[in-house]
Amino acid sequence: MTDAKLLLEPGQVIRPIIDHEQVKLLAERLYGISVLDLTELNGYDDKNYKLTEDPNMKNPLITNHSPYGYVLKIMNSIDSQNVGVVEAQNEIMNFLATRSVTCPKPVRNIFGHLHSIEDLGGKKHAVRLLEYVPGELLKNCPLSEALLYQLGEFVANLDNKLQNFNHSGLVSRQHMWMLSMVPELEKFKYVIKDSEKLDLAEEVIEEFKYAVVPRLDELEKGVIHGDINEMNVLVLPKDAGASDYRISGVIDFGDIQYSYYVFELAITMTYMMLMSGDPRVGGLVLAGYTVTRRLPDEEYRLLKTLISARLVQSLILGAYTLEQDPKNTYVTSTEKANGWELLRKIRKTKPTENGDPTDWKAIANEFLTRS
């Protein structure tokens, strides 16, 4: 099946349709786990469930029982058609775990496989089980300068390690959340009803087409995580009882792709600015990143367009998904976090005596000099 057919089209329902009782039966049938406790976790197009197993009913096939429980992941019907991507997600977690990156670990089912394809509500979905990784989500922590710097460092380190990871399943992968797919947003922009917002979105999509697309061949390529945000980064207190945190791990490899390293940086910066509402914090992420990994000037110059494009992508696809599935409030997190307001700040703010809030290189240098 060609990847062109695997792109989301307006009107398509791809999220798994399943209730809690069926999830428990799946866990028992595929993994021999008797579920004691079940919580649904956030998910965009996929469904994710935190499971705690009944300690009196343990599956002898799981040799190391995860003390923190498991996450059962049911993938959307588009990605489930691409078995290579499912295998790549499992392999990348094992690859990083052996290189001292804390991330979930895939668990084999009773047939000895790391995933299976199940028929749910008339559609085929890939089902996997991962060990649950303890830690607090970054979104629940105060964003200190040190933590933002450390996140930049963490992401650069992650990408340095991923330079040695390749998988045939990712070579031709395309999905709507890849930054390179921003021109495809033309099909979905009808969901933005406010004319001023639509003008802003169209301006960014056009800028991406003429400023980024012709230069893609010049950018450094490799496998990236593709969705470093406050819901996918784990933190732990620095010391017992401490109020400051350190980055401890990364979760959710659903958007891994063979893409461009500068996209990884832009995506990380975007979500940290969204979380804080302040464009300046991008400079702190940049500081940590560039101390660990070189960023060529021509790639730095694309950051403003890339960050704007990620915001527009998140705002348009969030509004579209909400229109399709009004119960899925997770998808509007960018809008709730004042994504349009941030986009205006990045695009329209004029430099003042306090400097330019999007001169991230100057902000990074100032921070590094100070610390």
Side-chain angles (χ1 to χ4, degrees):
M1 180 165 299
T2 65
D3 277 323
K5 294 218 180 69
L6 297 183
L7 269 185
L8 180 66
E9 288 297 332
Q12 220 175 347
V13 176
I14 62 172
R15 208 164 184 236
I17 297 165
I18 189 166
D19 63 31
H20 282 201
E21 219 35 61
Q22 290 169 298
V23 172
K24 289 179 180 175
L25 291 170
L26 262 187
E28 191 148 4
R29 176 167 64 80
L30 295 174
Y31 293 93
I33 285 179
S34 192
V35 178
L36 189 64
D37 199 31
L38 175 86
T39 317
E40 185 165 354
L41 303 171
N42 280 325
Y44 217 100
D45 296 323
D46 304 333
K47 288 223 166 175
N48 305 306
Y49 299 89
K50 163 97 193 287
L51 311 177
T52 311
E53 61 183 333
D54 185 335
N56 305 314
M57 308 269 291
K58 288 203 169 170
N59 172 6
L61 294 162
I62 299 178
T63 44
N64 298 319
H65 289 269
S66 169
Y68 305 103
Y70 301 90
V71 176
L72 188 81
K73 293 185 80 72
I74 307 172
M75 209 178 222
N76 70 75
S77 57
I78 289 186
D79 286 334
S80 296
Q81 293 173 56
N82 195 337
V83 173
V85 171
V86 186
E87 289 170 347
Q89 289 181 16
N90 290 329
E91 285 183 34
I92 202 168
M93 289 184 272
N94 286 331
F95 172 90
L96 289 171
T98 60
R99 285 159 181 80
S100 57
V101 174
T102 300
C103 62
K105 187 165 168 251
V107 178
R108 292 190 185 278
N109 62 24
I110 61 171
F111 311 106
H113 302 303
L114 291 175
H115 79 275
S116 65
I117 304 291
E118 303 298 322
D119 203 318
L120 304 170
K123 290 196 174 143
K124 297 205 171 341
H125 295 275
V127 177
R128 296 177 296 153
L129 190 72
L130 307 176
E131 290 185 359
Y132 182 80
V133 184
E136 188 59 78
L137 291 178
L138 179 59
K139 83 175 183 83
N140 299 327
C141 296
L143 274 185
S144 65
E145 289 191 335
L147 201 56
L148 288 157
Y149 173 82
Q150 206 187 93
L151 178 64
E153 229 175 3
F154 179 85
V155 170
N157 255 318
L158 184 71
D159 287 348
N160 283 342
K161 286 172 178 163
L162 288 177
Q163 277 181 300
N164 299 311
F165 180 82
N166 279 305
H167 196 284
S168 57
L170 298 179
V171 176
S172 60
R173 181 182 195 196
Q174 289 191 310
H175 64 82
M176 278 310 296
W177 278 99
M178 291 171 72
L179 250 183
S180 49
M181 301 305 290
V182 161
E184 295 286 323
L185 293 171
E186 293 284 359
K187 278 193 258 180
F188 296 91
K189 69 182 186 189
Y190 70 88
V191 295
I192 306 301
K193 310 298 184 206
D194 177 300
S195 62
E196 188 225 343
K197 288 175 177 173
L198 184 60
D199 285 348
L200 197 52
E202 286 176 333
E203 175 190 299
V204 171
I205 295 168
E206 282 310 305
E207 185 176 288
F208 187 92
K209 283 187 201 165
Y210 71 73
V212 178
V213 174
R215 293 193 174 83
L216 288 176
D217 288 344
E218 301 158 24
L219 309 179
E220 195 185 349
K221 285 196 84 159
V223 173
I224 64 170
H225 178 281
D227 195 23
I228 300 285
N229 66 47
E230 70 283 6
M231 314 281 256
N232 292 338
V233 174
L234 297 173
V235 296
L236 288 170
K238 270 192 171 161
D239 306 296
S243 60
D244 51 345
Y245 292 85
R246 62 178 176 83
I247 306 287
S248 62
V250 61
I251 58 174
D252 191 355
F253 290 82
D255 283 352
I256 55 167
Q257 54 195 270
Y258 184 67
S259 184
Y260 307 93
Y261 291 115
V262 68
F263 285 13
E264 187 96 282
L265 172 61
I267 289 166
T268 308
M269 287 170 67
T270 303
Y271 287 114
M272 292 309 101
M273 292 181 215
L274 261 177
M275 191 177 161
S276 65
D278 180 4
R280 287 174 185 281
V281 303
L284 302 170
V285 176
L286 181 71
Y289 187 92
T290 49
V291 159
T292 314
R293 197 183 154 77
R294 198 179 77 83
L295 180 72
D297 278 345
E298 57 276 16
E299 296 195 3
Y300 172 77
R301 283 196 287 273
L302 295 178
L303 278 177
K304 194 186 267 197
T305 305
L306 294 174
I307 288 163
S308 302
R310 181 51 164 205
L311 280 169
V312 166
Q313 187 175 41
S314 189
L315 287 160
I316 289 180
L317 291 179
Y320 166 75
T321 310
L322 190 67
E323 188 176 273
Q324 299 297 305
D325 180 4
K327 291 206 256 324
N328 188 355
T329 52
Y330 174 58
V331 301
T332 56
S333 48
T334 299
E335 186 150 34
K336 283 204 198 99
N338 295 324
W340 290 108
E341 189 48 43
L342 178 65
L343 187 59
R344 281 187 207 98
K345 280 183 195 167
I346 289 170
R347 312 280 308 170
K348 312 286 184 202
T349 306
K350 302 275 185 287
T352 64
E353 64 274 12
N354 298 326
D356 178 352
T358 62
D359 187 350
W360 296 301
K361 200 178 262 188
I363 294 163
N365 289 337
E366 189 271 330
F367 173 77
L368 291 169
T369 312
R370 194 159 34 92
S371 50

